[in-house]
Amino acid sequence: MRTVASKALGVYSVGKLAAGTYYATAKADGYRSGAVAEVTVKGLSLIGVANVGATKQTDLTGTVVGDSNGNGVRDSGEGLLGGKTLIFVDVLATQKAIADGSLASIDVGAAVGAALGGSLDLSDAIRFRTTTAGQPITFSDVPEGA
C-alpha cells in the first residue's frame, strides 16, 4: 500500500509499479468517499486513470428555541430549549441503506426509543441528537445535497 498526495487538480503519480491491478481511494478535507477505483497497469504503461467519486460534506448546526408566538424567529424572551431531540434524515442515504439492507438488522422502533434523550446514528442515514441545557446541536459530516 502506498499513500501519495495529488496536485491541485487531483493529478497524482506513483512510480515503479509492477504490471497488475491496483485499487485507488481518495481522501480530502471536507469530502467523503467510500469509492474504490480499479486501475490496471500493463507492461510499460505510463498513464493510468482512477476516477474516485467524492461528496462534499459540511457540519450542520441547529438550536431549538421556545417559539411562543409561532413566528419562526427567536424573539426577546424566547429561550433555548434543552432536552429536545432533533432527527436528521438524509433521504438519499436512507433509500440507499434500505436498498443495500444495512438497516435490516436494526429494530428501528427500539433504536428510536433509545435515541430520545441521547444521540444515535443509524448508518449515515438517520441521526438523532438531543439538546443539553439549551446548547446548539451539530450533525457532523453532512453530505452536500442532503
Side-chain angles (χ1 to χ4, degrees):
M1 176 158 49
R2 294 189 196 173
T3 301
V4 296
S6 70
K7 305 293 183 205
L9 295 176
V11 176
Y12 65 94
S13 65
V14 180
K16 299 182 182 179
L17 291 177
T21 301
Y22 296 88
Y23 300 91
T25 62
K27 180 174 80 172
D29 290 341
Y31 288 85
R32 173 186 305 155
S33 176
V36 177
E38 185 175 297
V39 180
T40 301
V41 175
K42 298 178 184 179
L44 296 175
S45 173
L46 300 176
I47 298 175
V49 176
N51 289 320
V52 181
T55 304
K56 192 170 185 177
Q57 63 190 32
T58 188
D59 292 341
L60 176 64
T61 300
T63 54
V64 180
V65 175
D67 187 12
S68 58
N69 61 6
N71 68 352
V73 176
R74 182 178 178 199
D75 297 312
S76 177
E78 296 177 333
L80 300 176
L81 301 177
K84 302 299 179 189
T85 302
L86 298 181
I87 304 170
F88 177 82
V89 178
D90 181 334
V91 175
L92 296 177
T94 301
Q95 288 174 330
K96 181 180 176 211
I98 291 169
D100 70 18
S102 61
L103 293 179
S105 64
I106 299 171
D107 179 345
V108 175
V112 169
L116 297 177
S119 294
L120 173 74
D121 291 342
L122 300 178
S123 71
D124 284 334
I126 306 168
R127 306 176 195 194
F128 297 81
R129 298 290 183 274
T130 302
T131 59
T132 305
Q135 295 298 310
I137 295 177
T138 299
F139 294 94
S140 298
D141 299 333
V142 176
E144 182 178 63

